[in-house]
């Protein structure tokens, strides 16, 4: 904000008020000397020729200056008035606006004292829901008063309630709580190298090859083995001494046969995205939701819904308990899809089998059968895998 | 003039600044001049400002776009392109 002389309006101008005056007459400089002698501070004195000048004084000195000018037979004209009584009158006229602004500022300040956003990072195996519940039990939840929370206590509470976590850090930054966790690494199997143990078959199969690093091999390639049968013994015979007890180590590869079956409701049709769509908007304040649309009872079963939620706030500074929600609906087209469903289930069965064996799938057959309401998918696979597992008993 | 010489000599002997004894003093820095211990403005124009210094002394500031930025009983702040400072 600038006054008529181009000077930025300061706090003094705003509170006390300043008046821009133009004085005209003979010996107009004498007005300046009189004012200075009376200790009236003058600013922005500007000559407007031999008989006129402009100056700025505080509003409270205006009357005295006018009296001085009258004594000198000078004409004084007021050019502008800034701040002071005019500003106060303006504020009085706009009191509701001022109150609203103050209430908004107070609202933002109050909102920044509560937690409205919990950001969890570093969790892979422990679900965010479990971490949120553990935090809630420790005192941190949506809308909690963060100045009363202790980051150290929250961290300890989290570690006590979730033994899967090795380390946790809780940073309370305004309305946002950032939780960093480090999951505990799984404890490796610890065993004594010299402890006696056999290797037995975990599945039936025909042995194709063996690899023994410790112990005595009891099977040969081409031999049929049954589940639980000893494959590599931990007792090693000696020609010159007593049999030695060792921990059997090695691999026994065999051709195995697996069958996996899945049953699911008979699919009527397959849904694919596409077609027309529409968007709905809503605002969530705290836990309350306000919709900006009507006819919310319209069926939306034929639409795919994507929800985008944007929280209001300044990242790293504060977060308000207000979210803008945008729901994008895309029409779904339906197509018959029993084959596709069967293929999908077969692929899942294949993936499950692949993860459960230590080897590879050599060949497979998939059969699909239907009953009245069910779809049955069966995967039969021939695999080559290491069937030797440790047996400590 | 004799009194001015006495005041000047006294200030020099006592090793105190002249303005402490009420002497007119002007300091310039760029487009600004600060005049202290003035006795009033004799004339005001955009090209020259004449200031009374007491005991008959006068200070004339010449330049372009001169204006009195602020003025109190003892001090005066002058802005503009200063070209000359003359003492009479």
């Amino acid at each position: 904000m600038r006054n008529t002389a181009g000077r930025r309006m300061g706090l003094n101008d705003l509170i006390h008020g300043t008046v821009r005056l133009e004085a005209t007459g003979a010996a107009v400089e004498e007005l300046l000397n009189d004012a200075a002698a009376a200790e009236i501070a003058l600013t922005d004195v500007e000559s407007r020729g031999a008989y006129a000048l402009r100056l700025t004084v505080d509003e409270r000195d205006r009357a005295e200056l006018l009296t001085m000018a009258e004594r000198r037979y000078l004409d004084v004209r007021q050019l502008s008035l800034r701040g002071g009584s005019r500003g106060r009158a303006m504020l009085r006229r706009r009191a509701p606006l001022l109150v609203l602004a103050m209430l908004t500022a107070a609202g933002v300040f109050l909102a920044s004292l509560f937690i409205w956003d919990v950001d969890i990072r570093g969790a892979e195996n422990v679900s965010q829901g479990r971490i949120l519940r553990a935090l809630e039990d420790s005192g941190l939840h949506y809308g909690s008063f963060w100045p009363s929370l202790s980051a150290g206590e929250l961290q300890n509470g989290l570690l006590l309630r979730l033994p899967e976590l090795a380390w946790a850090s809780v940073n309370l930054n305004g309305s946002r709580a950032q939780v960093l966790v480090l999951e505990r690494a799984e404890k490796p199997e610890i065993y004594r190298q010299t402890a006696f143990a056999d290797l037995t078959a975990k599945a039936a199969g025909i042995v194709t090859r063996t690899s023994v690093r410790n112990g005595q091999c009891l099977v040969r390639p081409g031999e049929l083995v049954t589940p639980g049968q000893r494959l590599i013994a931990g007792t090693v015979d000696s020609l010159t001494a007593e049999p030695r007890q060792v921990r059997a180590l090695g691999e026994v590869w065999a051709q195995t046969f697996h069958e996996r079956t899945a049953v699911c409701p008979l699919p009527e049709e397959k849904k694919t995205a596409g077609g027309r769509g529409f968007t709905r908007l809503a605002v969530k304040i705290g836990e309350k939701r306000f919709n900006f649309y009507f006819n919310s009872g319209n069926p939306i079963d034929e639409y795919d819904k994507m929800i985008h939620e944007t929280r209001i706030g300044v990242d790293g500074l504060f977060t308000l308990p207000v979210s803008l929600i945008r729901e994008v609906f895309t029409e779904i087209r339906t197509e018959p899809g029993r084959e596709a469903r069967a293929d999908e289930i077969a692929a899942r069965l294949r993936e499950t089998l692949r993860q459960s064996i230590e080897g590879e799938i050599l060949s497979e057959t998939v059969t699909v059968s239907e009953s009245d309401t069910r779809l049955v998918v069966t995967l039969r696979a021939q695999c080559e895998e290491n069937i030797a597992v440790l047996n400590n008993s | 003039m004799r009194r001015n010489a006495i005041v000047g000599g006294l200030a020099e002997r006592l090793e105190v600044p002249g303005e402490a004894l009420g002497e007119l003093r002007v300091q310039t820095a760029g487009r600004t001049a600060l005049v202290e211990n003035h006795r009033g403005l004799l004339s005001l124009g955009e090209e020259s400002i004449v200031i009374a210094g007491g005991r008959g002394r006068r200070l004339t500031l010449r330049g372009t776009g001169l204006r009195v930025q602020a003025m109190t009983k003892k001090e005066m702040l002058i802005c503009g392109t200063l070209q000359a400072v003359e003492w009479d």
Side-chain angles (χ1 to χ4, degrees), chain A residues 5 7 20 29-30 32-33 36-47 49-50 52-53, chain B residues 38-46 49-50 52 66-76:
Chain A
R7 190 167 60 88
R20 186 80 177 154
E29 295 85 359
E30 290 303 324
L32 302 181
N33 295 331
E39 299 194 350
I40 294 174
L42 306 170
T43 52
D44 296 320
V45 181
E46 185 186 358
S47 173
L53 59 82
Chain B
H38 69 84
R39 296 291 187 275
L41 201 60
L42 297 176
S43 76
L44 176 66
E46 285 196 353
I49 295 176
V50 183
L66 297 180
R67 60 190 292 159
V68 178
Q69 187 66 37
M71 181 177 175
T72 62
K73 190 176 180 182
K74 290 284 180 189
E75 293 170 336
M76 201 183 293

Coordinates of all heavy atoms in Angstrom, one line a residue, chain A residues 5 7 20 29-30 32-33 36-47 49-50 52-53, chain B residues 38-46 49-50 52 66-76:
Chain A
A5 N 2.3 10.2 -2.1 CA 3.7 10.6 -2.4 C 4.5 9.3 -2.8 O 5.7 9.5 -3.1 CB 4.4 11.2 -1.2
R7 N 5.2 6.7 -1.0 CA 5.8 6.1 0.1 C 5.0 4.9 0.6 O 3.8 5.0 0.6 CB 6.1 7.1 1.2 CG 7.0 6.6 2.3 CD 7.4 7.7 3.2 NE 6.2 8.4 3.8 CZ 5.7 8.0 5.0 NH1 6.2 7.0 5.6 NH2 4.7 8.6 5.5
R20 N -2.1 14.0 3.9 CA -1.3 14.7 2.9 C -2.0 16.0 2.6 O -3.2 16.1 2.3 CB -1.4 13.8 1.6 CG -0.5 14.3 0.5 CD 0.9 13.9 0.7 NE 1.8 14.3 -0.4 CZ 3.1 14.6 -0.3 NH1 3.6 14.5 0.9 NH2 3.8 14.9 -1.3
E29 N 7.4 28.4 2.8 CA 8.4 27.6 3.5 C 8.3 27.9 5.0 O 8.7 27.1 5.9 CB 9.9 28.0 3.1 CG 10.2 27.6 1.6 CD 9.8 28.6 0.6 OE1 9.2 29.6 1.0 OE2 10.0 28.4 -0.6
E30 N 7.8 29.1 5.3 CA 7.7 29.5 6.7 C 6.8 28.5 7.5 O 7.0 28.3 8.7 CB 7.2 30.9 6.9 CG 8.1 32.0 6.4 CD 9.5 31.9 7.2 OE1 9.4 31.6 8.4 OE2 10.5 32.1 6.6
L32 N 6.8 25.4 7.1 CA 7.6 24.2 7.5 C 8.4 24.6 8.7 O 8.6 23.8 9.6 CB 8.6 23.9 6.3 CG 7.9 23.5 5.0 CD1 9.0 23.2 4.0 CD2 7.0 22.3 5.2
N33 N 9.0 25.8 8.7 CA 9.8 26.2 9.9 C 8.9 26.3 11.2 O 9.4 25.9 12.2 CB 10.4 27.6 9.6 CG 11.4 27.4 8.5 OD1 12.0 26.4 8.2 ND2 11.6 28.5 7.7
A36 N 8.3 22.7 12.2 CA 9.5 22.1 12.8 C 9.7 22.7 14.2 O 10.1 22.0 15.1 CB 10.7 22.4 11.9
A37 N 9.5 24.0 14.4 CA 9.7 24.6 15.7 C 8.7 24.1 16.7 O 9.1 24.0 17.9 CB 9.6 26.2 15.5
A38 N 7.5 23.8 16.2 CA 6.5 23.3 17.1 C 6.7 21.7 17.3 O 5.8 21.1 17.9 CB 5.1 23.6 16.6
E39 N 7.8 21.2 16.8 CA 8.1 19.8 16.9 C 7.0 18.9 16.2 O 6.6 17.9 16.8 CB 8.3 19.4 18.3 CG 9.5 20.1 18.9 CD 10.1 19.5 20.2 OE1 9.4 18.7 20.7 OE2 11.1 19.9 20.6
I40 N 6.5 19.4 15.1 CA 5.6 18.6 14.3 C 6.4 17.9 13.2 O 7.1 18.6 12.4 CB 4.5 19.4 13.7 CG1 3.6 20.0 14.7 CG2 3.7 18.6 12.7 CD1 2.5 21.0 14.2
A41 N 6.5 16.6 13.2 CA 7.3 15.9 12.2 C 6.6 16.0 10.8 O 5.4 15.7 10.7 CB 7.4 14.5 12.6
L42 N 7.4 16.4 9.9 CA 6.9 16.6 8.5 C 7.6 15.5 7.6 O 8.8 15.3 7.8 CB 7.3 18.0 7.9 CG 6.8 19.2 8.8 CD1 7.4 20.4 8.2 CD2 5.3 19.3 8.7
T43 N 6.9 15.0 6.7 CA 7.5 14.0 5.8 C 7.0 14.3 4.4 O 6.0 14.9 4.2 CB 7.1 12.5 6.2 OG1 5.7 12.4 6.3 CG2 7.8 12.1 7.5
D44 N 7.8 13.8 3.5 CA 7.5 13.9 2.0 C 7.1 15.4 1.6 O 6.1 15.6 1.0 CB 6.3 13.0 1.7 CG 6.7 11.6 1.8 OD1 7.8 11.2 1.5 OD2 5.9 10.8 2.3
V45 N 8.0 16.3 2.0 CA 7.8 17.7 1.6 C 8.2 17.8 0.2 O 9.3 17.5 -0.2 CB 8.6 18.6 2.5 CG1 8.3 20.1 2.2 CG2 8.2 18.4 4.0
E46 N 7.3 18.3 -0.6 CA 7.5 18.4 -2.0 C 7.1 19.8 -2.5 O 6.0 20.3 -2.3 CB 6.5 17.3 -2.7 CG 6.7 17.2 -4.1 CD 5.6 16.2 -4.7 OE1 4.8 15.7 -3.9 OE2 5.6 16.0 -5.9
S47 N 8.1 20.4 -3.2 CA 7.8 21.7 -3.7 C 7.0 21.7 -5.0 O 7.2 20.8 -5.8 CB 9.2 22.4 -4.1 OG 9.0 23.6 -4.7
G49 N 6.4 24.4 -7.0 CA 6.6 25.8 -7.5 C 6.9 26.7 -6.4 O 7.1 26.3 -5.2
A50 N 7.0 28.0 -6.7 CA 7.4 29.0 -5.7 C 6.4 29.2 -4.6 O 6.8 29.6 -3.5 CB 7.8 30.3 -6.4
A52 N 3.8 27.0 -3.6 CA 3.0 25.8 -3.1 C 3.9 24.7 -2.8 O 5.0 24.5 -3.3 CB 2.0 25.4 -4.2
L53 N 3.5 23.9 -1.8 CA 4.2 22.7 -1.4 C 3.2 21.7 -0.9 O 2.1 22.1 -0.4 CB 5.4 23.0 -0.5 CG 5.1 23.6 0.9 CD1 4.6 22.6 1.9 CD2 6.4 24.3 1.4
Chain B
H38 N 19.7 22.6 12.1 CA 19.3 23.7 11.2 C 18.4 24.7 12.0 O 17.9 24.4 13.1 CB 18.5 23.1 10.0 CG 17.2 22.5 10.4 ND1 16.1 23.3 10.5 CD2 16.8 21.3 10.6 CE1 15.0 22.6 10.8 NE2 15.5 21.3 10.9
R39 N 18.3 25.8 11.4 CA 17.5 26.9 12.0 C 16.3 27.2 11.2 O 15.6 28.3 11.4 CB 18.3 28.2 12.2 CG 19.5 28.0 13.2 CD 19.0 27.8 14.6 NE 20.1 27.8 15.6 CZ 20.8 26.7 15.9 NH1 20.6 25.6 15.3 NH2 21.8 26.8 16.7
G40 N 16.0 26.4 10.2 CA 14.8 26.6 9.4 C 15.1 26.6 7.9 O 16.2 26.6 7.5
L41 N 14.0 26.5 7.2 CA 14.1 26.5 5.7 C 13.9 27.8 5.2 O 12.9 28.5 5.5 CB 13.0 25.5 5.3 CG 13.1 24.8 3.9 CD1 14.4 24.0 3.8 CD2 11.9 24.0 3.7
L42 N 14.8 28.3 4.3 CA 14.7 29.6 3.8 C 14.0 29.6 2.4 O 13.2 30.4 2.1 CB 16.1 30.3 3.6 CG 16.8 30.5 5.0 CD1 18.2 31.1 4.7 CD2 16.0 31.5 5.9
S43 N 14.3 28.6 1.6 CA 13.6 28.4 0.4 C 13.6 27.0 0.0 O 14.6 26.2 0.3 CB 14.2 29.3 -0.7 OG 15.4 28.7 -1.2
L44 N 12.6 26.6 -0.7 CA 12.4 25.2 -1.1 C 12.1 25.1 -2.6 O 11.2 25.8 -3.1 CB 11.3 24.6 -0.3 CG 10.9 23.2 -0.7 CD1 12.0 22.2 -0.3 CD2 9.6 22.8 0.1
G45 N 12.9 24.4 -3.3 CA 12.7 24.2 -4.8 C 13.2 22.8 -5.2 O 14.0 22.2 -4.4
E46 N 12.9 22.4 -6.3 CA 13.3 21.1 -6.8 C 14.8 21.1 -7.2 O 15.5 20.1 -7.2 CB 12.5 20.6 -8.0 CG 11.1 20.2 -7.6 CD 10.5 19.4 -8.7 OE1 11.0 19.3 -9.8 OE2 9.4 18.8 -8.4
I49 N 17.7 24.0 -2.3 CA 17.1 24.1 -1.0 C 18.1 24.9 -0.2 O 19.3 24.6 -0.1 CB 16.8 22.8 -0.4 CG1 15.8 22.0 -1.2 CG2 16.4 22.9 1.1 CD1 15.5 20.6 -0.7
V50 N 17.6 26.0 0.4 CA 18.4 26.9 1.2 C 18.0 26.7 2.7 O 16.8 26.8 3.0 CB 18.3 28.3 0.8 CG1 19.3 29.2 1.6 CG2 18.6 28.5 -0.7
A52 N 18.8 27.6 6.8 CA 19.4 28.6 7.8 C 20.2 27.8 8.8 O 19.7 26.7 9.3 CB 18.4 29.5 8.4
L66 N 15.0 17.6 -5.9 CA 15.3 17.7 -4.5 C 13.9 17.8 -3.8 O 13.0 18.4 -4.2 CB 16.1 18.9 -4.1 CG 17.5 18.9 -4.7 CD1 18.3 20.2 -4.3 CD2 18.3 17.7 -4.3
R67 N 13.9 17.1 -2.6 CA 12.7 17.2 -1.8 C 13.0 16.9 -0.3 O 14.0 16.2 -0.1 CB 11.6 16.2 -2.3 CG 12.1 14.8 -2.2 CD 11.1 13.8 -2.9 NE 9.9 13.8 -2.2 CZ 8.7 13.4 -2.7 NH1 8.7 13.1 -4.0 NH2 7.6 13.3 -2.0
V68 N 12.2 17.4 0.6 CA 12.5 17.2 2.0 C 11.7 15.9 2.4 O 10.5 16.0 2.4 CB 12.0 18.4 2.8 CG1 12.2 18.1 4.3 CG2 12.8 19.7 2.4
Q69 N 12.5 14.9 2.6 CA 11.8 13.6 2.9 C 11.2 13.6 4.3 O 10.1 13.1 4.6 CB 12.8 12.5 2.8 CG 12.3 11.1 2.9 CD 11.3 10.8 1.7 OE1 11.6 11.2 0.6 NE2 10.2 10.1 2.0
A70 N 11.9 14.3 5.3 CA 11.4 14.4 6.6 C 12.1 15.6 7.3 O 13.2 16.0 6.9 CB 11.8 13.1 7.4
M71 N 11.3 16.2 8.2 CA 11.8 17.4 8.8 C 11.3 17.5 10.3 O 10.1 17.3 10.5 CB 11.3 18.6 8.0 CG 11.8 20.0 8.6 SD 11.2 21.3 7.5 CE 11.8 22.7 8.4
T72 N 12.3 17.7 11.2 CA 11.9 17.9 12.6 C 12.6 19.2 13.0 O 13.2 19.9 12.2 CB 12.4 16.7 13.4 OG1 13.9 16.7 13.4 CG2 11.9 15.4 13.0
K73 N 12.5 19.5 14.3 CA 13.0 20.8 14.8 C 14.6 20.9 14.5 O 15.1 22.0 14.2 CB 12.7 20.9 16.3 CG 13.0 22.3 16.8 CD 12.5 22.3 18.3 CE 12.8 23.7 18.8 NZ 12.4 23.7 20.3
K74 N 15.3 19.8 14.7 CA 16.7 19.8 14.6 C 17.3 19.2 13.3 O 18.4 19.5 12.9 CB 17.3 19.0 15.8 CG 17.2 19.7 17.1 CD 18.1 20.9 17.2 CE 17.9 21.6 18.6 NZ 18.7 22.9 18.6
E75 N 16.5 18.3 12.7 CA 17.1 17.6 11.6 C 16.2 17.7 10.3 O 15.0 17.9 10.4 CB 17.2 16.1 11.9 CG 18.2 15.8 13.0 CD 18.1 14.4 13.5 OE1 17.1 13.7 13.4 OE2 19.2 13.9 14.1
M76 N 16.9 17.5 9.2 CA 16.2 17.5 7.9 C 16.8 16.5 7.0 O 18.0 16.4 6.9 CB 16.4 18.9 7.3 CG 15.3 19.3 6.3 SD 15.6 20.9 5.6 CE 15.4 22.0 7.0

